[in-house]
């Protein structure tokens, strides 16, 4: 049969009655030019897989989009025991202006990427996963688990979309070969149970301008953004994380950057806290990650169940000395309770991890605003340890509200 090329319609009276029928032709025939599927308004109880498509390229791409341009007009949903959409070794596919929902009771995904599916783009979509109490990684709105070294799903883009429910919003696990060219920007993550975004083994990933909120059903270890072993100029910028039900705001864990290609966490707004079970809530956590710059972040931790490790900035693990820079941040701990520190060092060795630290506001209403393994310190004591933090202060920033 002839390969596909051009614009087709999906829906009643269109070229294809369903997504699955369109996928069947794509799998059999491949493409020999750019292909656009315009989807007519309606609800589609459907699921499909694209596998080893022939002919795709940056020019010969495949796009599924609502004909109206309104995501609410086209709902692709499945309640079965499978993902709604699976891309298997299929490149250059875009989903635009659609609602994609997993409506079943299993631990499946709205979109799963498999085996080197590169250049997937999700733009202006609504992804729904329902309420979840699952701790299964695969129960994610967008999921990829690549265990084969050369099969990373590179150049993934998620933009201008809303992600509701499920255990995880975006969950990517890669092998020791890093994912490259990916970005997650200007999305709204709402009511995930475990993670908003979890990214493992990425190189220079961009997580920009996203918002995160959740409800009381969240897991007691809920984390908005995790970069695990994400290297070389990865960026977490201008995200807003605001909810009572958060354990960790931003976690940077593992390998980190290099000289001149530092991981940058900057201009994020994190307002977090509440009561039990969100014990030891931490706004930004740096765990064993070297070459990280923390600039211009606002962290307000109002957790009232704050024993021991509750803080705005937590630093632990084995880190190359002098490679974590903390400049121009507001780190405000105002929840009350027994333990209130703006910064917490897990070990005396972690003090040496700090390179430049200056022009920060470390605020906690107790006399000791810095926790240190050899004893809590006030600002003057902390400054005497670092030697280069002369311009930092300890003043209540008086945020308008816990979320502003």
């Amino acid at each position: 049969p002839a390969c596909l090329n051009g614009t087709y319609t999906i829906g009643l009276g269109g070229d294809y009655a369903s997504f699955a029928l369109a996928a069947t032709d794509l799998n059999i025939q491949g493409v020999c030019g750019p292909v656009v599927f315009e989807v007519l308004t309606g609800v589609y109880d459907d699921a499909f897989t694209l596998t080893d498509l022939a002919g795709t390229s940056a020019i010969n791409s495949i796009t599924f989009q609502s004909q109206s341009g309104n995501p609410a007009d086209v709902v692709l949903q499945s309640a079965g025991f499978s993902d709604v959409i699976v891309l298997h070794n299929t490149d250059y596919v875009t989903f635009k202006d659609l609602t994609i929902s997993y409506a079943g009771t299993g631990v499946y995904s709205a979109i799963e990427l498999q085996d080197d599916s590169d250049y997937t783009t999700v733009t202006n979509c609504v992804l729904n996963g329902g309420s979840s109490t699952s701790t299964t990684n695969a129960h994610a709105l967008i999921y990829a688990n690549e265990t084969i070294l050369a099969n990373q799903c590179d150049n993934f883009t998620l933009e201008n979309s809303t992600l509701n429910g499920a255990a995880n919003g975006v969950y990517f696990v890669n092998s020791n070969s890093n994912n490259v060219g990916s970005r997650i920007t200007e999305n709204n993550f709402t009511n995930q149970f475990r993670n908003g975004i979890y990214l493992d083994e990425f190189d220079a990933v961009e997580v920009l301008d996203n918002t995160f909120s959740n409800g009381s059903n969240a897991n007691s270890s809920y984390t908005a953004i995790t970069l695990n072993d994400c290297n070389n100029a990865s960026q977490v910028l201008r995200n807003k994380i605001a909810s009572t039900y958060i354990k960790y705001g931003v976690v940077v864990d593992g390998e980190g950057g290099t000289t001149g290609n530092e991981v940058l966490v900057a201009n994020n707004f994190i307002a977090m806290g509440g009561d039990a079970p969100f014990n030891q809530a931490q706004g930004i956590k740096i765990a064993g990650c070297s070459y990280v710059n923390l600039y211009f972040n606002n962290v307000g931790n109002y957790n009232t169940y704050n024993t021991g490790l509750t803080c705005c900035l937590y630093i632990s693990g084995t880190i190359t000395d002098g490679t974590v820079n903390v400049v121009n941040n507001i780190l405000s701990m105002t929840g009350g309770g027994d333990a209130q520190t703006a910064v917490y060092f897990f070990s005396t060795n972690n003090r040496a991890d700090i390179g430049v630290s200056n022009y920060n506001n470390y605020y906690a209403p107790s006399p000791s605003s810095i926790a240190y393994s050899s004893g809590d310190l006030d600002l003057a004591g902390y400054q005497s340890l670092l030697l280069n933090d002369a311009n930092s202060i300890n003043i209540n920033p008086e945020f308008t509200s816990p979320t502003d």
Side-chain angles (χ1 to χ4, degrees), residues 177-213:
S177 176
N178 284 1
N179 178 299
V180 299
S182 294
R183 65 195 315 264
I184 299 174
T185 179
E186 298 186 79
N187 304 288
N188 182 17
F189 292 81
T190 304
N191 290 332
Q192 279 74 54
F193 180 64
R194 291 181 63 216
N195 296 281
I197 298 171
Y198 182 95
L199 304 177
D200 172 68
E201 299 282 359
F202 276 68
D203 197 337
V205 66
E206 297 179 351
V207 180
L208 316 176
D209 301 297
N210 302 285
T211 63
F212 300 82
S213 62

Side-chain angles (χ1 to χ4, degrees), residues 340-358:
Q340 297 191 66
T341 55
V343 180
Y344 192 101
F345 292 108
F346 183 76
S347 163
T348 54
N349 295 327
N350 294 127
R351 192 275 307 165
D353 300 335
I354 300 296
V356 176
S357 180
N358 212 351

